[in-house]
Amino acid sequence: MTNEVHDNLKYAADKPLTKKEQAFVYEYVKDFNGTKAAQRAGYSEDNPRAASVTASRMLTKANIMRAIRDLVAERAMSADEVLDRLARIARGTIEPFITKGNAINLKTVEAQADIGLVRSFQEGTSKVGAKLELHDALKALELIGKANGALTNIKDSLLANLDVSKLTPNQIRAIAAGEDIIDVLLNP
């Protein structure tokens, strides 16, 4: 690749997005459907065929692809974040959302701190009380168990393939005492 071509690609990737292009990026990341994203962003709203062509063209632009990649990376959760969220759901209770008079209040400081536990909420009427549903704690526990099971399988594999002759006496004592094998192997 010549320097001139490389410089053009760099310029294209660093070129600021227009407001419509920014709208396209945000809409595209919602469902990764280029045609619908182009329509929602204001390109060819009444013509799906034209929106499809526009989306194809947009997705070839380096600056748009960089913006999409950056937005996806910004919104992505690490495995630790996922497990932390699942643990909060598994441990969550309805208490932060209930007032002393047994009413549901989602606006208190305590409730706002745990708002991620709420799956759905319906305001009450004069005939029917409010309805609050939390995310499924048992499902969260199941998912945590599966994640821990995957770790257990990795540990079992490590143990099965472990060359004991290469372990230090301290490592052997630590493993025999029940310390986590991964910690022992990573911290000799």
Side-chain angles (χ1 to χ4, degrees):
M1 182 180 298
T2 67
N3 281 343
E4 183 180 319
V5 172
H6 178 71
D7 289 342
N8 287 341
L9 287 175
K10 183 177 180 206
Y11 172 76
D14 292 339
K15 184 179 175 187
L17 300 179
T18 66
K19 288 193 184 297
K20 252 184 159 173
E21 288 172 334
Q22 288 175 7
F24 174 80
V25 167
Y26 281 99
E27 294 299 329
Y28 183 75
V29 170
K30 286 180 181 176
D31 58 10
F32 298 99
N33 183 318
T35 301
K36 289 182 180 178
Q39 289 175 309
R40 291 188 306 253
Y43 294 97
S44 312
E45 294 173 29
D46 298 331
N47 186 341
R49 180 177 236 114
S52 177
V53 170
T54 299
S56 294
R57 189 183 77 247
M58 300 285 273
L59 293 170
T60 63
K61 293 183 175 185
N63 60 338
I64 296 211
M65 292 306 295
R66 174 177 281 169
I68 289 169
R69 185 196 66 218
D70 291 349
L71 186 58
V72 168
E74 177 184 305
R75 292 182 176 181
M77 292 178 83
S78 70
D80 286 341
E81 286 178 288
V82 171
L83 287 173
D84 286 345
R85 176 84 52 99
L86 288 170
R88 286 185 57 140
I89 290 169
R91 292 184 183 111
T93 69
I94 200 165
E95 289 176 27
F97 309 103
I98 305 297
T99 65
K100 289 180 183 173
N102 285 335
I104 297 173
N105 185 347
L106 300 181
K107 296 180 182 175
T108 66
V109 173
E110 295 83 11
Q112 285 298 305
D114 285 335
I115 202 72
L117 300 176
V118 176
R119 181 175 182 174
S120 67
F121 174 71
Q122 290 178 332
E123 291 281 347
T125 65
S126 60
K127 295 182 180 182
V128 180
K131 181 180 177 188
L132 176 68
E133 181 182 6
L134 301 182
H135 287 286
D136 188 345
L138 290 176
K139 181 67 175 174
L141 288 169
E142 177 186 330
L143 293 171
I144 291 168
K146 284 182 181 178
N148 287 337
L151 292 175
T152 300
N153 292 341
I154 291 169
K155 289 177 187 178
D156 289 345
S157 176
L158 279 172
L159 281 171
N161 297 309
L162 188 62
D163 184 354
V164 180
S165 67
K166 293 183 179 180
L167 294 175
T168 67
N170 287 339
Q171 287 176 314
I172 293 171
R173 275 191 227 90
I175 292 170
E179 287 189 39
D180 185 73
I181 187 169
I182 294 175
D183 289 340
V184 171
L185 294 176
L186 292 177
N187 304 306

